[in-house]
Amino acid sequence: MDLPKLSIAALGGTVSMQSENTGEGIVPTVSGEALLSSVPALETLAHISVETLGLMPSASLDFEFLLSVLSWANFQIGQGAAGVVITQGTDTLEESAAFLDYLWDRDEPLVLTGAMRSASEPGAEGPANLLDACRVALATHSRGRGVQVVMNGQIHSASAVRKTDSLALQAFSSPIVGPAGLLVESSVRYLRPPSLRNVLPLPQQTSQKIALLEASLSADCSILENILGLGYDGLVIAGFGAGHVSESWADVMETIAWQIPVIVATRTGSGSTAQATYGFTGGEMDLTRRGALMAGFVCPRKARILLWLLVGCERQGELARYLTQD
Ligand code: GLU
């Protein structure tokens, strides 16, 4: 039978981790090739090529590295791969997925997966997740859905997915919208049609810095007051509730918003910011008047990625359009 081509890249994370010596913590040492050999069923699905692009905890991935992963993935599709699967640590999986999704202009699926249990742990789910991710990447009805995250039998779209549990097997969810699909008896089932995607051009520069600060009760303004002096090119605030800050923060944010883009998202982990409900100082109507943009459903971390990419291609003027599209 003529099998499709599929490319897999390993970046590290718990899925690639094991303990080298008894009593020591787990570290990323398991190569992509070794991961692949733990899932013999894959050979019956596709001609697989696998590369180990990194063996890092996902906290140490960065945007430059992800740009090189993107270019590797594009090259694989150019060489005839029907889809691409990337394994990485789950700690920053939602951010990598969003970053790559903003830039992935192919119809072919780009699927990210990982594991909550290390390769050496009983019940390690890395091999099952990898097999599921490959099934999703190979499914023709996955085309046109951009970047997706496959974990624990669920398929999540990059724009919606969040890590919502620190250690549980069911660590990922898509608040409000739920998973985009499921793996049912090994087959890929989508629960809703693909949504319209608005892909960004590649950033021409990568030295821009975007700060992300969370509002908290009785917080002082010291860090906020130094944002411009520290050379930041944009600021994202994870605000209270529907996108609110204290009166003192609102005053400083106004000064900042004269110089650089300021986005206010919600720190709650679910839902949208408001636009026209609260009229108090530091509320969304006040902050909007002072020049801030409300993030809507875009979470603070993904708003930071969006702003970094827009500043990188000098399209920060289009920020509002990208924030309202979800
Ligand atoms: N729980 C994380 C993981 O699943 C820790 C390490 C990392 O993110 O690289 O991979």
Side-chain angles (χ1 to χ4, degrees):
M1 200 174 64
D2 215 10
L3 291 176
K5 285 188 193 170
L6 181 71
S7 298
I8 302 176
L11 309 186
T14 300
V15 68
S16 291
M17 290 193 195
Q18 56 191 359
S19 179
E20 304 235 273
N21 297 301
T22 321
E24 284 178 8
I26 56 171
V27 286
T29 52
V30 181
S31 68
E33 291 76 5
L35 273 181
L36 188 62
S37 67
S38 68
V39 197
L42 277 174
E43 276 176 27
T44 63
L45 300 182
H47 291 298
I48 310 244
S49 70
V50 62
E51 284 185 49
T52 308
L53 300 180
L55 278 175
M56 282 176 269
S58 69
S60 294
L61 298 174
D62 62 35
F63 293 158
E64 264 95 0
F65 180 70
L66 288 179
L67 286 172
S68 71
V69 173
L70 178 77
S71 118
W72 173 87
N74 268 312
F75 180 75
Q76 302 306 310
I77 300 295
Q79 296 293 106
V84 172
V85 172
I86 292 166
T87 63
Q88 71 149 83
T90 60
D91 282 358
T92 63
L93 192 57
E94 67 189 75
E95 284 162 276
S96 302
F99 183 92
L100 295 170
D101 190 53
Y102 278 127
L103 300 172
W104 186 246
D105 60 1
R106 305 274 192 172
D107 265 352
E108 288 84 353
L110 175 51
V111 180
L112 270 58
T113 191
M116 294 303 291
R117 292 180 182 150
S118 72
S120 49
E121 233 175 305
E125 88 286 23
N129 285 344
L130 181 57
L131 182 57
D132 283 349
C134 291
R135 286 189 171 120
V136 171
L138 289 167
T140 47
H141 55 309
S142 294
R143 291 174 67 95
R145 288 178 178 268
V147 176
Q148 303 197 97
V149 169
V150 173
M151 289 289 292
N152 207 24
Q154 297 184 332
I155 309 164
H156 296 273
S157 66
S159 59
V161 70
R162 296 185 192 188
K163 187 173 188 181
T164 46
D165 196 290
S166 56
L167 289 166
L169 206 54
Q170 179 58 33
F172 286 83
S173 57
S174 294
I176 311 277
V177 292
L182 302 168
L183 277 294
V184 181
E185 296 177 315
S186 310
S187 71
V188 177
R189 301 280 182 84
Y190 284 103
L191 305 171
R192 53 176 185 266
S195 45
L196 212 63
R197 301 179 58 241
N198 210 343
V199 178
L200 286 168
L202 278 175
Q204 299 306 302
Q205 55 179 46
T206 56
S207 57
Q208 63 275 21
K209 299 192 297 180
I210 310 297
L212 167 55
L213 296 180
E214 180 169 305
S216 57
L217 191 62
S218 197
D220 63 75
C221 293
S222 312
I223 299 177
L224 205 54
E225 281 164 351
N226 282 294
I227 289 294
L228 292 174
L230 288 169
Y232 282 96
D233 304 287
L235 170 65
V236 177
I237 301 288
F240 302 116
H244 305 151
V245 298
S246 64
E247 290 187 15
S248 50
W249 271 41
D251 289 338
V252 186
M253 282 165 61
E254 180 172 0
T255 313
I256 298 171
W258 289 335
Q259 310 274 337
I260 58 174
V262 175
I263 302 176
V264 183
T266 172
R267 67 172 197 169
T268 60
S270 177
S272 172
T273 51
Q275 196 66 43
T277 300
Y278 292 97
F280 60 80
T281 304
E284 79 280 358
M285 292 174 77
D286 175 49
L287 294 175
T288 308
R289 267 193 303 271
R290 293 175 190 257
L293 285 167
M294 304 310 290
F297 282 100
V298 182
C299 80
R301 297 183 279 272
K302 291 178 188 172
R304 175 175 168 268
I305 287 167
L306 172 64
L307 187 49
W308 188 88
L309 288 169
L310 283 170
V311 171
C313 58
E314 293 184 357
R315 284 170 77 157
Q316 54 270 48
E318 296 173 35
L319 185 53
R321 181 158 73 85
Y322 287 91
L323 291 173
T324 48
Q325 108 182 342
D326 274 345

